[in-house]
Amino acid sequence: MNRKKMTLARHVLEQQKYSPKATGELSSLLIQLGLAAKTIVREVSRAGLVNILGLTGETNVQGEAVKKLDRFANEVFVEAFGYGGLLCTLISEEMEKPLHLPENCPQGHYTLLVDPIDGSSNIDVNGIFGSIFSFQKRPEGEAHGTPEALLRKGSEQIAAGYIMYGPSTMLVYTVGSGVHGFTLDPGVGEFFLSHENIRIPTRSRAYSVNQGNYRRWAPEVQRLVDDFSGRGDEGERGYALRYAGSLLADIHRILLEGGIYLYPGSLDQPEGKLRLLYEAAPLALVVEQAGGRASTGTESILALQPKNLHQRVPLFIGSPEEVARAESFIRSRRRKGINDSGGERLP
Ligand code: AHM
Ligand code: MG
């Protein structure tokens, strides 16, 4: 088959052949996702012209100001999956409670977890942002909407990925058999396979972090970032600093070129900023399927048992050797008790 002509729909149907128990439902959901992406990108591509920039004046469950595009994208996902009978529950960064779709639930087994716009601070400056998604399946015999049905470990996701609204629009997904990237051809209105079976480089001297948080970090995290930035004890040349302000944009670069992204916890917010269920876990599945690693600094992201829907988590993610280096650095500094012996503290 001519891989260049491989559409998203054909690809998900081909992937389905490798799972003997597949019913075709997940394929339909992923195709539906492509439609939601095209609806959002149509608005994004003329954002400066259609009164979609700026704030709504409301705040979301995280206490963050809601941008008009955050709300629009959330509505697109709700509308796209509200019919079709397959999706029973939708969990979103923009909605405090899960949205149950009772008319879908008799036959629908799936939950969609989504950050409709990741990298919201880039919206008004025509920077890169995107949507992060994860599909879970209600466990056999579990009732709809119970905490047990919704709070699943990342390792139980059955599909995950992101859509990136950049110079070109890309959709990257995994169903647990590799990571595949598609680029939207705007003339045809279709996603075509452009990056088949992405493999992350095992190491690369590049790091992504908001270094403005330096004074808020524990000493061992400060020392790790000193090391990356070339100010560490080893006196090595520093890594290149790359920070997009959009997690998925940084992850996309790291998937293709290697490196590490970190959003550690801080002394005043030990759990960090990023949300486990619809930011960290889906990207962790993508990165691990591409041969990378995702960690809290001490534990695997995919092994974490979520305690609530909007839970935050520290994140160290990227090339396996870079994440292993960060973990061993943090562990050994903690063992040496650097916590008690120095490092800057909050004033
Ligand atoms: P958002 O979903 O509200 O956009 O927040 C998540 C984003 C990540 O995409 C990004 O890496 C991080 O927050 C940036 O945060 P900061 O401005 O603190 O560096
Ligand atoms: Mg967001």
Side-chain angles (χ1 to χ4, degrees):
M1 177 172 307
N2 180 354
R3 312 301 287 176
K4 291 219 182 314
K5 294 274 186 263
M6 175 70 87
T7 61
L8 175 65
R10 276 172 75 186
H11 194 267
V12 295
L13 290 169
E14 273 210 355
Q15 293 272 302
Q16 190 187 316
K17 289 189 205 143
Y18 301 115
S19 336
K21 288 194 193 147
T23 57
E25 293 172 341
L26 181 62
S27 302
S28 303
L29 288 168
L30 287 166
I31 293 166
Q32 198 68 6
L33 194 78
L35 184 64
K38 286 184 244 177
T39 309
I40 294 170
V41 82
R42 189 187 54 195
E43 213 65 5
V44 165
S45 62
R46 53 199 180 123
L49 304 172
V50 291
N51 190 27
I52 197 84
L53 299 179
L55 302 169
T56 62
E58 296 151 22
T59 50
N60 68 13
V61 56
Q62 327 286 342
E64 298 156 349
V66 177
K67 301 218 165 181
K68 288 182 194 164
L69 200 61
D70 283 325
R71 191 172 60 190
F72 171 78
N74 191 60
E75 282 165 8
V76 169
F77 282 106
V78 170
E79 207 167 290
F81 291 98
Y83 61 94
L86 296 175
L87 198 84
C88 187
T89 310
L90 197 153
I91 292 168
S92 164
E93 183 189 358
E94 299 303 328
M95 299 188 295
E96 182 175 359
K97 300 225 161 72
L99 177 71
H100 293 294
L101 303 160
E103 64 283 9
N104 287 353
C105 290
Q107 69 279 27
H109 299 288
Y110 291 90
T111 300
L112 169 64
L113 302 101
V114 67
D115 180 358
I117 298 290
D118 169 68
S120 301
S121 67
N122 285 352
I123 292 173
D124 292 347
V125 297
N126 199 19
I128 295 180
F129 51 89
S131 308
I132 303 175
F133 62 88
S134 161
F135 286 102
Q136 295 181 357
K137 196 167 185 185
R138 177 162 49 90
E140 207 70 43
E142 192 66 64
H144 299 299
T146 61
E148 290 72 24
L150 299 178
L151 297 173
R152 313 301 305 174
K153 289 182 184 171
S155 55
E156 295 175 46
Q157 297 170 97
I158 54 162
Y162 58 86
I163 305 148
M164 183 164 114
Y165 313 110
S168 51
T169 300
M170 286 197 66
L171 189 154
V172 175
Y173 85 101
T174 180
V175 290
S177 52
V179 178
H180 309 286
F182 295 78
T183 301
L184 181 66
D185 181 335
V188 184
E190 271 294 353
F191 282 101
F192 290 101
L193 183 63
S194 52
H195 297 65
E196 191 172 17
N197 200 19
I198 298 171
R199 302 301 297 167
I200 193 169
T202 51
R203 74 175 84 90
S204 179
R205 296 177 68 83
Y207 74 118
S208 299
V209 70
N210 182 344
Q211 215 146 320
N213 290 327
Y214 188 89
R215 297 194 70 210
R216 299 171 57 208
W217 293 329
E220 65 273 16
V221 176
Q222 292 181 336
R223 297 296 169 263
L224 173 67
V225 173
D226 286 345
D227 212 52
F228 284 138
S229 65
R231 288 184 292 150
D233 302 336
E234 276 92 63
E236 282 184 38
R237 186 171 59 88
Y239 283 27
L241 174 61
R242 301 279 181 265
Y243 194 66
S246 162
L247 170 64
L248 67 86
D250 284 316
I251 297 289
H252 186 70
R253 184 177 32 71
I254 290 169
L255 266 184
L256 301 181
E257 296 188 347
I260 181 168
Y261 172 100
L262 49 152
Y263 210 113
S266 53
L267 296 172
D268 54 332
Q269 197 169 10
E271 66 283 8
K273 175 182 181 184
L274 301 173
R275 279 52 62 112
L276 173 58
L277 282 171
Y278 43 79
E279 291 182 326
L283 295 174
L285 189 67
V286 168
V287 165
E288 297 220 348
Q289 277 291 315
R293 298 240 352 253
S295 166
T296 62
T298 52
E299 289 172 87
S300 157
I301 293 286
L302 293 179
L304 284 186
Q305 174 60 56
K307 295 190 182 63
N308 62 69
L309 293 180
H310 298 289
Q311 178 176 339
R312 296 174 194 262
V313 71
L315 181 64
F316 298 75
I317 184 168
S319 293
E321 290 189 14
E322 305 303 343
V323 175
R325 178 178 176 192
E327 280 180 330
S328 74
F329 197 95
I330 286 175
R331 284 206 193 98
S332 77
R333 294 284 166 149
R334 278 190 188 160
R335 269 201 305 273
K336 282 187 206 153
I338 190 169
N339 261 327
D340 304 320
S341 65
E344 288 187 51
R345 291 275 167 184
L346 280 172

